[in-house]
Amino acid sequence: MTDFSPYTAQQVANWLSQGTINAAPSNIWVTLFDDTGTELDGDVANGRVSTTAGTDWDSPGTDFDNAVEVDFGEAQANITIQDVALYDSDTGGSNNELARYAIDAAPQDVNSGVRVFFAAGDLSFDVVDNTE
């Protein structure tokens, strides 16, 4: 199953049916959600974390892995992490969700003051083809 969001799926549908697609973002923003679906960008020191499309992501197959550490900084409160998601902007701008999936061992509780980060290779978004 793909981790694509409805926005990304619609972009593919528009490309196939109309020959149009929105311009690709130069930065991909990574964010976290709790087990109620609430974004946690205000509960970590660094909010949404910016990565560079093309260089900060590897594609070893039908998935895309972070090639660099994604550092959210310290939790500003006790939080529960359920999902990680990719967006085409920080909280302003177009703000389209590109992909989302539940993290391993979700939900994961993090105490206030604990650094929240993903080492290179820890995040993996699946883009399944028809052979999967």
Side-chain angles (χ1 to χ4, degrees), residues 115-132:
R115 182 173 167 244
V116 179
F117 71 97
F118 294 94
D122 280 356
L123 299 177
S124 182
F125 290 86
D126 198 8
V127 183
V128 177
D129 63 31
N130 63 1
T131 64
E132 296 294 312

Side-chain angles (χ1 to χ4, degrees), residues 2-132:
T2 183
D3 294 323
F4 277 166
S5 69
Y7 168 81
T8 303
Q10 185 62 52
Q11 288 298 296
V12 173
N14 289 348
W15 171 51
L16 292 173
S17 66
Q18 302 167 29
T20 62
I21 194 167
N22 289 343
S26 58
N27 289 17
I28 305 294
W29 298 84
V30 186
T31 194
L32 303 169
F33 285 85
D34 69 13
D35 54 348
T36 68
T38 301
E39 186 174 2
L40 297 171
D41 60 324
D43 295 313
V44 289
N46 298 336
R48 284 188 184 178
V49 177
S50 178
T51 62
T52 302
T55 59
D56 289 351
W57 296 90
D58 290 329
S59 181
T62 62
D63 58 345
F64 289 85
D65 301 341
N66 60 312
V68 298
E69 181 180 86
V70 176
D71 183 6
F72 292 95
E74 290 184 0
Q76 305 298 295
N78 293 338
I79 58 174
T80 299
I81 302 171
Q82 177 73 34
D83 295 338
V84 61
L86 303 178
Y87 278 80
D88 63 358
S89 67
D90 61 4
T91 54
S94 53
N95 203 34
N96 295 303
E97 184 177 286
L98 304 175
R100 183 193 293 211
Y101 75 95
I103 63 168
D104 292 338
Q108 186 174 17
D109 293 325
V110 177
N111 290 328
S112 180
V114 173
R115 182 173 167 244
V116 179
F117 71 97
F118 294 94
D122 280 356
L123 299 177
S124 182
F125 290 86
D126 198 8
V127 183
V128 177
D129 63 31
N130 63 1
T131 64
E132 296 294 312

